[in-house]
Amino acid sequence: MNHQTDPDAFTDLGFARLDTGRAARTGDPEVVYGEGKTTEQALELIGQLRLAHPDRPALVTRAPQEMRDAIASAYADQVTVDDRAVAVGELPIPAGTVCVVSAGTSDAPVAAEAAFTARVFGAGVTRVNDVGVAGVHRLLAARASLEAADVLIVVAGMDGALPSVVGGLTGVPLVAVPTSVGYGASFGGIAALLTMLNSCAPGVVVSNIDNGFGAGVFAARVARRANK
Amino acid sequence: MNHQTDPDAFTDLGFARLDTGRAARTGDPEVVYGEGKTTEQALELIGQLRLAHPDRPALVTRAPQEMRDAIASAYADQVTVDDRAVAVGELPIPAGTVCVVSAGTSDAPVAAEAAFTARVFGAGVTRVNDVGVAGVHRLLAARASLEAADVLIVVAGMDGALPSVVGGLTGVPLVAVPTSVGYGASFGGIAALLTMLNSCAPGVVVSNIDNGFGAGVFAARVARRANK
Amino acid sequence: MNHQTDPDAFTDLGFARLDTGRAARTGDPEVVYGEGKTTEQALELIGQLRLAHPDRPALVTRAPQEMRDAIASAYADQVTVDDRAVAVGELPIPAGTVCVVSAGTSDAPVAAEAAFTARVFGAGVTRVNDVGVAGVHRLLAARASLEAADVLIVVAGMDGALPSVVGGLTGVPLVAVPTSVGYGASFGGIAALLTMLNSCAPGVVVSNIDNGFGAGVFAARVARRANK
Amino acid sequence: MNHQTDPDAFTDLGFARLDTGRAARTGDPEVVYGEGKTTEQALELIGQLRLAHPDRPALVTRAPQEMRDAIASAYADQVTVDDRAVAVGELPIPAGTVCVVSAGTSDAPVAAEAAFTARVFGAGVTRVNDVGVAGVHRLLAARASLEAADVLIVVAGMDGALPSVVGGLTGVPLVAVPTSVGYGASFGGIAALLTMLNSCAPGVVVSNIDNGFGAGVFAARVARRANK
Amino acid sequence: MNHQTDPDAFTDLGFARLDTGRAARTGDPEVVYGEGKTTEQALELIGQLRLAHPDRPALVTRAPQEMRDAIASAYADQVTVDDRAVAVGELPIPAGTVCVVSAGTSDAPVAAEAAFTARVFGAGVTRVNDVGVAGVHRLLAARASLEAADVLIVVAGMDGALPSVVGGLTGVPLVAVPTSVGYGASFGGIAALLTMLNSCAPGVVVSNIDNGFGAGVFAARVARRANK
Amino acid sequence: MNHQTDPDAFTDLGFARLDTGRAARTGDPEVVYGEGKTTEQALELIGQLRLAHPDRPALVTRAPQEMRDAIASAYADQVTVDDRAVAVGELPIPAGTVCVVSAGTSDAPVAAEAAFTARVFGAGVTRVNDVGVAGVHRLLAARASLEAADVLIVVAGMDGALPSVVGGLTGVPLVAVPTSVGYGASFGGIAALLTMLNSCAPGVVVSNIDNGFGAGVFAARVARRANK
Amino acid sequence: MNHQTDPDAFTDLGFARLDTGRAARTGDPEVVYGEGKTTEQALELIGQLRLAHPDRPALVTRAPQEMRDAIASAYADQVTVDDRAVAVGELPIPAGTVCVVSAGTSDAPVAAEAAFTARVFGAGVTRVNDVGVAGVHRLLAARASLEAADVLIVVAGMDGALPSVVGGLTGVPLVAVPTSVGYGASFGGIAALLTMLNSCAPGVVVSNIDNGFGAGVFAARVARRANK
Amino acid sequence: MNHQTDPDAFTDLGFARLDTGRAARTGDPEVVYGEGKTTEQALELIGQLRLAHPDRPALVTRAPQEMRDAIASAYADQVTVDDRAVAVGELPIPAGTVCVVSAGTSDAPVAAEAAFTARVFGAGVTRVNDVGVAGVHRLLAARASLEAADVLIVVAGMDGALPSVVGGLTGVPLVAVPTSVGYGASFGGIAALLTMLNSCAPGVVVSNIDNGFGAGVFAARVARRANK
């Protein structure tokens, strides 16, 4: 089985069937979701991914501290560690630009996950932080960064209003990410999610609550295609 | 029983106990909610209200066309008719200013109800229409109108994002009114309601979905007090 | 005011403030949402859009039959009429390809809206119909069409499972559109919406329920950028 | 009272009325739900069940570690211990085959509960793990196992899409089990539950979220009947 | 393409891709969902199904009166018409027994759909009507019918309590079908659905609200297998 | 079978199994729920109820106009007709007093159903209308009526606040009935239902939304027992 | 101020306004809700209640262990301690009988709270435990206890089906109490709550989830009145 | 940049863009939301706020104990510490009166936050505690305090009924604040929120659940304007 070219390849590890054919099918290898896995399982999966796809970094998302530490010490010279994720292997040369915009300081972890994922998936990344709509002049001051990107990821909790305003300022494709930041009737991010799904700015699409990873994958693909 | 001064006054009409003591208690007479009442009932209640409070207009809200027509012909020279409401009796001299701001053309009926109610309850009213956040420059161009008011009513459906942006531009007290405009995940106004309850601009308060009446009453009271 | 170049342009028509600066800001002119507007209002807005943006078609979405007929007879030689929408003016030369994939025959109206919008916004469009996951071989037989596109719009109601399967077959950026097709616990599209937000295929983003328009705008922008 | 044959038998233990007539009525004895019971209560109930039904194992579900340990040491030579459950007494000779299919590695505990329950209730069990729809070729490679079974239990969290795909590949009766695996808009398994209830593949039935036990009981009964 | 034996067969009719391979894959041909289709489309699909599967009846579910009439007159001597469904072609020789139990008179349409579907899918069917738990003696009087079946379909709206009681009386595999019968906090069948998902009787599985069709398909498959 | 004394009696009418044993079990005969039944079915059921229980009126609830008219003409001299219900046969001598209190004029139909049901089930009934908490003096003026009752039924929509206030004024047992009166975030009576379930006055119990019938049955039983 | 006879009495303690007039208004003194209060506050409130109502026990509900211990040692010879509540002062002579019926062993704490409250509020109490509908013969065996009561409290979690079955067996007034027992789609007791609100047995009324206290107060009042 | 007068001022601190222009735009400086911030970040933000707005206190809300202690020791002689908030700098001379009314002792923390915020934002504050509607005479005894205020904040959990009663007694503008106090069907404050949104007293507006801060800001602005 050639894991580089066979779209139907997979590796049966007993506890998991690693989808090594995914890179041949979709252009990007499978990713390890750290939550609920043991560090040993994560290390075994990384090993298999490095074997199958030596030219692409192996990404572990939502990895607890202890797992990140173990990976970092096992792959010391080829690891990139972020707040909640780890990449093992050389990062790709960036193609295109994803700009990650966040509304408040509490949205930072989700924005960081989106940015890290987009970078590992091969895009360049810029950041615009803390430009919530209660002080919209801060956003207006950052218009040049928005326009310079191939795709935007806009992260917000509470009222989730930022993507609507950004989407009215620019036609750059925009992925909105609701976060679970807030209390009371924010209902763990439902309020922000609904706001974004109902955005009055045309062309806003949405990821799951707190899903910086998914937005990063999507945005990297758009950015790479815009810069083929 | 003196309906002008007795806070415990009421008039038992069989089908209703008209709270004629409300004006003595709250400064404003009871209002007739037209929906679900017959035209005859509405006319009888107006008659009683005119008797009890000759110096204040009698307001009928959510009145169907046929009820509005019947009232208009019964009280031809002292009636003010709006899209969904009717006031019988001379309108008070306006005190203070309520500015009603609306996000989209579909929000117009709720904005109109708020404006009419505020006027009947004794405030002056200004309007700023169709300034949704997908084109925030339209709102910025109307800042003077916002600042000139004693209180703002901001009406929006779909993403309900407008109050957050307005609340970041001005410190004028702001009542947000979600509307049921939208489809899919707007869930009949729930999306806009949640957005407004979670507004990242401090000091935004909210009325029920489509409740222009309640916002108008509240705003008129604030405006009147600011101009005693 | 130059509506072609001034990002802060707008036209105050009384009942609406047409955002004529939107094209300068976002690259695409404002669109008329037909629902809740009179035919006269729609015609006036089309007239203003044609004046401000003579080089781009004016699009009316969710237009009732009578409105579509009136527009078609007013602009006979430059109109393109679809099931629920109308475009007035020459369609742009298509740039890039949006492939619209739908799960069942009942999802056709939403898929059609997405396809029409993407075309009016300047992309080429292909279609793959009725390839729901209960017969996944139909989808596998259409893999070439998926791979040939710059971006996919995947439309599904009921279980909303199709985007997850498509997202596992290809790395082409994928926008999922839940529809309100179904009954009982489909809850008007909530079931499909949640499925798509939780897709186990990485990089799936989602629009509002039945929002073929929004998905079309977004996809056209991605397709155009991939083919600059 | 003959607990083997009297359908109206029960044993009043003060804190519980053990339904010893259930085996006569339904063919299967009552089961002890461990959660919220003391180890002493569990042991007393097991004792009563062994007395009433010496030919059938006594099953304790959702038993905490300490309870499982105490039971294992009290019934050392006739106990079968699983991750969350314990059976005391010889397991029945398996009749028919239940195949338990799971979508992701995080769904393993629920799949294990289903498999263990089906086995204790008298069916043979096979397993197909980690064949989520994001890599549908893994599932296609396991078609023979699906077809060889009398009934399928398909376990999935997040988007819950696996049962729809399996249900399109085979006509073997299929019970879907949603799990609470996921975050954000998975809402503790609601997303997967709704997906499964709305499956576009005909003939999918559903158990409660995380209810591997119930699915196991049902499937064992179907498998046994198919092999009378 | 041999529609009898090729699991990957399908017929592209433009408006639909008829899954003619489904019978080879699952043992049962595709079914026409009448709602939202024109009578012409339904007739064309029936024609194709009769061609592909001459030995199995073609089933149209949720067919409006006019569609049922047109089918009945087109296939006069080989049609079986029910309240909401039609089958064209000779019904199979019944194998095994499905017993459909319903709680109240208002649940009759859903129970009828389940019974008709099970019969068309090849099972024998018995009925026990109006045995809701507010008069549980009516159910106890029907125990022999329950025990004589290979599988039960239990249909109930409002409190949805019937499956729990039936599931405590017999070990025959039981599929519960919630209906949208009720008002107020029945929320269109949500109350009954939740009751059934949380049944305290082990081994109850559930279909979508009002989904008699799905329960009928599932039950027929179980009944057929129990009588191979 | 003696329908007066046999608790396990029932009459199988084909479309229904009339629970004629209910009176022997519960003291009150079964009731006909008119909605969804034909007039012929209702008349047949009334006939059977009159036969089985000649000493108690037969009650039909939620009967449409045409059904009420047909019953009234069939049983002209022994019928009592209300807004939505009909009773055939002499009403019992009233025992005890149920006081039905309603918050607003729109709650009248539900209050009327409660009152009529309580009377038919053998209690005396008093009414206190339109005493909503926005004018709490109206309620305070009616305290004597509250205290004179054996049990209270308190009906309210919108905020559903009335039962909490009444429950603080008197210790007479209180059944709260939420109505679907309201709009926006009243969600068809959910708001009032939740208010009542969370009443800060101890001892408030609640019926389903708009379920005046159920409250009437319960209250009549309490009133009768208090006056044995 | 005479706390025995003045309905408008209250005692301002700074952190609380103890409603000492409640006994004069409703026949029962105010109760201390332990949760969220300090032990000192609870003791001070008990002291005030003993002063105001020396002839009635002071009840503290939802009292944590430490609070219960402190109260028990402060009022050693006149205290009655239950699992979650404490009563200080001699219990009243019981009048009438409340029968508390519970579905499963996990429902015991809520059933205990109901029983203790009813006893402290002056009723006699009987218990019927663990008679869930999955073994309905256990309930049928307890019919005499049901019939001997003046009022029933029926406690159930999970499917919440027990009150419907009990309500079909007897006409004794029945208060249903849903508990938060269950998992998955029980949603913390929502499933059981909805089941009970939609009970097909007429005359079932419902308290808040886990609210044994409220049901106990209500039931005691009914029982006392039936035995004046 | 002049932070006193430039409405577009902001200070980029890397982790945050402090909106120093907010005071020029809205009359009130930005506030630090303590939750999720480090003590160091809070101290840096306070320092910047003191620099930009030396004449206004810097407010930190939802500050954990350790953060409050650190601020108190850093700004010993100019700090005001409340239960969950801290203000650094001299409090403004109070203008106008906000009266904070609370329903129960458990609502005290939210009421305290509202009162503290209103005071820091420049209003005078009075308090009326523990006047829930189960003993409405306590509220009636406090009418003078209500009437003396310029604006009311009414805080309640559980049934949330207090604002409706207060709103019927006085015409002083009223902001209702639902709290998450309660259990079961209070759903973390949803019950109280819905009650308040549906208040039958006209002119009640609502803040987010537990949002004493937002209500305090709003009320202070209304009170200040009423006393210009």
Side-chain angles (χ1 to χ4, degrees), chain G residues 77-168:
Chain G
D77 54 354
Q78 45 180 330
V79 81
T80 315
V81 182
D82 201 66
D83 284 354
R84 300 196 294 188
V86 196
V88 175
E90 201 175 348
L91 299 190
I93 297 169
T97 304
V98 174
C99 178
V100 181
V101 183
S102 63
T105 55
S106 309
D107 302 315
V110 176
E113 185 185 65
F116 187 71
T117 303
R119 180 65 196 86
V120 174
F121 271 68
V125 176
T126 60
R127 301 284 298 267
V128 176
N129 295 326
D130 201 19
V131 291
V133 301
V136 79
H137 61 292
R138 296 174 296 187
L139 177 66
L140 299 176
R143 268 171 108 150
S145 297
L146 306 180
E147 287 297 343
D150 294 299
V151 60
L152 303 172
I153 295 175
V154 183
V155 181
M158 298 179 68
D159 58 18
L162 185 57
S164 290
V165 177
V166 175

Side-chain angles (χ1 to χ4, degrees), chain A residues 130 132 134-138, chain B residues 168, chain H residues 1-13 16-32 44-56 58:
Chain A
D130 201 20
V136 79
H137 61 292
R138 297 175 297 188
Chain H
M1 205 183 310
N2 185 329
H3 298 297
Q4 308 276 45
T5 60
D6 181 358
D8 288 345
F10 64 87
T11 307
D12 195 335
L13 303 172
R17 285 179 207 221
L18 189 66
D19 181 4
T20 45
R22 188 170 296 177
R25 294 196 315 278
T26 72
D28 297 303
E30 189 166 2
V31 166
V32 180
E44 180 169 357
L45 288 163
I46 293 171
Q48 294 291 337
L49 283 169
R50 295 302 295 150
L51 273 180
H53 313 295
D55 56 330
R56 290 289 295 267

Side-chain angles (χ1 to χ4, degrees), chain G:
Chain G
M1 205 182 311
N2 185 330
H3 299 296
Q4 307 275 44
T5 59
D6 180 357
D8 289 345
F10 64 87
T11 306
D12 196 334
L13 303 171
F15 71 95
R17 284 178 208 223
L18 189 67
D19 181 4
T20 46
R22 189 170 295 178
R25 294 196 314 278
T26 73
D28 297 303
E30 189 166 3
V31 167
V32 180
Y33 184 74
E35 212 160 85
K37 292 208 176 60
T38 63
T39 295
E40 288 65 39
Q41 291 176 327
L43 285 168
E44 180 169 357
L45 289 162
I46 293 171
Q48 294 291 335
L49 284 168
R50 295 300 296 150
L51 274 180
H53 314 295
D55 56 329
R56 290 289 295 267
L59 176 61
V60 186
T61 64
R62 303 214 168 203
Q65 179 71 46
E66 184 244 327
M67 188 185 287
R68 294 202 308 271
D69 290 348
I71 298 168
S73 83
Y75 292 93
D77 54 354
Q78 45 180 330
V79 81
T80 315
V81 182
D82 201 66
D83 284 354
R84 300 196 294 188
V86 196
V88 175
E90 201 175 348
L91 299 190
I93 297 169
T97 304
V98 174
C99 178
V100 181
V101 183
S102 63
T105 55
S106 309
D107 302 315
V110 176
E113 185 185 65
F116 187 71
T117 303
R119 180 65 196 86
V120 174
F121 271 68
V125 176
T126 60
R127 301 284 298 267
V128 176
N129 295 326
D130 201 19
V131 291
V133 301
V136 79
H137 61 292
R138 296 174 296 187
L139 177 66
L140 299 176
R143 268 171 108 150
S145 297
L146 306 180
E147 287 297 343
D150 294 299
V151 60
L152 303 172
I153 295 175
V154 183
V155 181
M158 298 179 68
D159 58 18
L162 185 57
S164 290
V165 177
V166 175
L169 294 178
T170 175
V172 178
L174 188 170
V175 180
V177 185
T179 72
S180 53
V181 169
Y183 59 90
S186 84
F187 299 135
I190 294 180
L193 171 64
L194 295 184
T195 308
M196 292 170 180
L197 287 169
N198 288 285
S199 178
C200 59
V204 169
V205 294
V206 186
S207 80
N208 191 5
I209 298 166
D210 289 338
N211 189 5
F213 165 70
V217 171
F218 182 88
R221 289 174 173 176
V222 170
R224 286 169 3 201
R225 283 177 175 255
N227 291 273
K228 275 180 301 209

Side-chain angles (χ1 to χ4, degrees), chain F residues 101 128 131 135-143 146 162 165-166 169:
Chain F
V101 184
V128 176
V131 290
V136 79
H137 60 292
R138 297 175 296 187
L139 176 66
L140 299 175
R143 268 172 107 151
L146 306 179
L162 185 58
V165 177
V166 174
L169 293 178

Side-chain angles (χ1 to χ4, degrees), chain D residues 80-137:
Chain D
T80 314
V81 183
D82 201 66
D83 283 355
R84 299 195 296 188
V86 196
V88 175
E90 201 176 348
L91 299 191
I93 297 169
T97 304
V98 174
C99 178
V100 181
V101 184
S102 63
T105 55
S106 309
D107 301 315
V110 176
E113 185 185 66
F116 186 71
T117 303
R119 179 67 197 86
V120 173
F121 270 69
V125 175
T126 59
R127 301 284 298 269
V128 176
N129 294 325
D130 201 19
V131 291
V133 301
V136 79
H137 60 292

Side-chain angles (χ1 to χ4, degrees), chain A residues 133-134 136 140 158-159 161 164-165 168-169 183 185-187 190-191 194-195 197-201, chain B residues 133-134 136 140 158-159 161 164-165 168-169 183 185-187 190-191 194-195 197-201:
Chain A
V133 301
V136 79
L140 299 176
M158 298 179 69
D159 58 19
S164 290
V165 177
L169 293 178
Y183 59 91
S186 83
F187 299 134
I190 294 180
L194 295 185
T195 308
L197 287 168
N198 288 285
S199 177
C200 60
Chain B
V133 302
V136 79
L140 299 176
M158 297 179 69
D159 58 18
S164 290
V165 176
L169 293 177
Y183 59 90
S186 83
F187 299 136
I190 294 181
L194 295 185
T195 308
L197 286 169
N198 288 283
S199 177
C200 60

